[in-house]
Every structure is written in C-alpha cells, then in structure tokens.
Amino acid sequence: MLYIISISLLFSLVASQPTPCCQSKMVGEVNYTLVTYMDTSEWGCKENCVYATEEGGKVCFKSGELPVTCQESGGSYTAKGTMVDLDPGMKGYLVGSGKKVIVWSTDTTGITDEGIANKTTLEWADMLAEKGGYTVLIPDWFRGNNAPASPPNSPPNRTWVMQVTNWTRIESDWNNTILPYLETKMTGPLSIGLIGTCWGSYPVVLLSRFNNIKCGISMHPSHDKLIPTVGQNETEVLSQVVAPQLFMTEGGVADSVKAGGIADEILGDKITFEEFNDMEHGWTVGGDLSDPDVVRDVEKAKKLALEFFAKYL
C-alpha cells in the first residue's frame, strides 16, 4: 500500500513535465504511437505517456509480461520498406503494395543522406503505406548529390540549392525515370498523390500541373522561397496547378502560403490551409518529439494527410 501511494505521489509531482517516452512501441505484436503526456497515476500506469492504437483509441501501460520494443526517432527506427534502383543513378525508398501511389519528396536531407536517420521521414512513409493502404515511393531527387555539411541552424549551401532546384531536371526524372518505374510496378492507370516537406514542396507544386496527379500536400513548404531563387515566378507556377492542394504551415511563414495569399487567390477552392502556429519549420519530420506540443501537431498532420489522400486519391 505504501509503495502504491509513493508511486502516485511521484506521478503527481512530474505530471506537468514531459517524461521520456518511446515515440512508438511494440507491445506484444501490436504497435502504439505516442500522442501526448498526462498524469496517468489514476490508472496505475508506470509512465505519463499516452499512446494511440491503430483503431484510434488511447492507452497507457502498466508493468506486465508482454515483450516491449521501443522505437525511437533518430536512427534506431527499423524501416519497413526497401531501397530500390529507379535507374542506374537514382535510388528510392519503396514501401507498401496498394493500387494507389504516394510519391514523397524530402526536405534537403535526401533519402541517401546519412542524416535521414535523424528524421522521421521513413516512419511517415511507412505509416501512409500501412494506415492508408498505399504504395509509397521516396525518390532521391538529388541523385546522391546530397547537401554539403553546414553549421547548425544555418540554411543549405546556396550553390547546391540552385543545382537541385532545377525544374527541367526534375521534370525529366519524373517522365523518364519515376513514372516508368511505377508503371512497371503497378497494374492499371496510375493514381498518384504527392507529399513533400520543406524543399520537397517545390516538386509537389510543380508536378501538380499534370493530369495524372490527383492531389498534393506540402508540409512547412519552401517553394515560395525556392521559386524566385531559381528565377521562376510564383504566380505563373501556381497558375498551372490543377490538382487539389493542402498546405500545412508553421508559424511566421510568408502570406503567400497562407489563406488570403497568392496561392489562395489563384487556386481558390482547389487549396486547403492548415496553420500550426506553435510549430517551427521542419516540425513534422524533424521536430523535438520529447515536446508534447510537437507530438500533438505531428499526429494532427498525419491525420490530415490521411484524410486528404482518402478524399482525393
């Protein structure tokens, strides 16, 4: 009895502080994803960590006999897909087997960059494949020419950005490498949705001019900065978009990627905006998952992405 009271007092003291939790965990043969922190002492759980089930319920855990495997972001996640050769010079990450396809465009940390282990990009791709029933492909748009090392919190090398943000090359890779690869993997007409983070919103927005693209999602997009950097006009680019778009933005972004801005004026009912004003740039795949606010908004972004793809793809 005294032991139980002691545990309860401890929980009440730390309830207001984030407790180290697995970002996802396998308990027995079931996977659970961290969604928030709260005082769980009234249920006798051993940590203030609340997880979501695949059915959408919320649970916390007592000590028990089931085996538990903790899967943290930042290098220890075991990816469910495989690396494939899209052509002799271009690799990709492929997961899932659904008839509908999602093509993910990364931020400046490409799929062959060692730094990808510090992002949750692969976990996102695996989640979309598993929960949405999609085939997900992450092409290496950079073809192994990964971003040069730069000091923390500094922008990528400008020369490199100019090299990789090349619409002529991206369009060529799309038509001559990525689409032919998908056509060999899939049966019937391709139904393709796009999603990208940061730099990846550039290919999402520009590829969304093609009729075989059903929709596009940009999370903390950077195309509004990249387009003028490479000598293009944002109004002209957006005017060619035909597929419905979802922009999920962080706090402090330019008006052009928010409701009432250029994208809204041009795309009208073809675009939806979701603002995450408590978040910083890059939060969906690189945010601090020990922060319950980041966990909350990552889970919301996942839910919105799944709903958007379900609606249009």
Side-chain angles (χ1 to χ4, degrees), residues 48-296:
N48 289 342
C49 310
V50 179
Y51 294 84
T53 66
E54 293 183 353
E55 293 76 25
K58 291 186 172 69
V59 299
C60 59
F61 293 95
K62 299 179 180 180
S63 297
E65 298 179 356
L66 291 172
V68 178
T69 303
C70 185
Q71 297 175 321
E72 299 289 351
S73 61
S76 61
Y77 177 75
T78 301
K80 298 176 181 178
T82 57
M83 294 296 292
V84 295
D85 290 319
L86 304 180
D87 72 14
M90 189 179 201
K91 291 190 176 296
Y93 176 80
L94 185 68
V95 64
S97 58
K99 294 182 179 180
K100 299 177 180 181
V101 179
I102 293 173
V103 176
W104 179 296
S105 295
T106 67
D107 53 28
T108 54
T109 303
I111 197 66
T112 63
D113 191 316
E114 290 183 0
I116 199 70
N118 299 316
K119 301 289 183 78
T120 58
T121 305
L122 301 185
E123 287 140 281
W124 265 87
D126 292 351
M127 180 276 298
L128 291 170
E130 181 178 353
K131 292 190 175 182
Y134 303 112
T135 293
V136 183
L137 175 67
I138 309 178
D140 179 21
W141 290 115
F142 310 143
R143 288 184 169 269
N145 176 27
N146 293 312
S150 57
N153 301 317
S154 63
N157 179 278
R158 182 180 174 85
T159 301
W160 177 83
V161 170
M162 295 287 288
Q163 290 174 353
V164 298
T165 314
N166 183 319
W167 170 236
T168 300
R169 181 187 57 77
I170 290 172
E171 183 180 21
S172 176
D173 281 341
W174 178 257
N175 289 323
N176 300 317
T177 297
I178 295 170
L179 275 181
Y181 178 85
L182 291 173
E183 287 167 352
T184 65
K185 290 288 181 181
M186 313 299 292
T187 58
L190 286 176
S191 180
I192 302 173
L194 305 175
I195 187 168
T197 54
C198 309
W199 180 91
S201 75
Y202 179 82
V204 168
V205 170
L206 274 82
L207 290 170
S208 290
R209 66 185 61 189
F210 297 133
N211 290 329
N212 59 358
I213 303 302
K214 304 303 181 184
C215 59
I217 299 175
S218 295
M219 302 190 291
H220 29 92
S222 295
H223 64 271
D224 58 312
K225 304 175 185 66
L226 293 165
I227 288 170
T229 296
V230 296
Q232 295 171 297
N233 181 281
E234 188 173 2
T235 298
E236 292 178 1
V237 169
L238 291 170
S239 296
Q240 297 181 69
V241 171
V242 297
Q245 302 291 299
L246 169 61
F247 286 2
M248 292 193 258
T249 57
E250 72 276 22
V253 298
D255 289 342
S256 67
V257 293
K258 298 194 296 185
I262 294 173
D264 196 7
E265 293 175 5
I266 295 172
L267 297 178
D269 60 5
K270 288 189 293 188
I271 189 164
T272 302
F273 299 91
E274 287 287 343
E275 295 185 12
F276 294 79
N277 291 321
D278 293 339
M279 295 296 101
E280 296 181 355
H281 187 71
W283 97 91
T284 61
V285 294
D288 179 4
L289 292 175
S290 68
D291 183 339
D293 289 343
V294 174
V295 172
R296 175 201 66 202

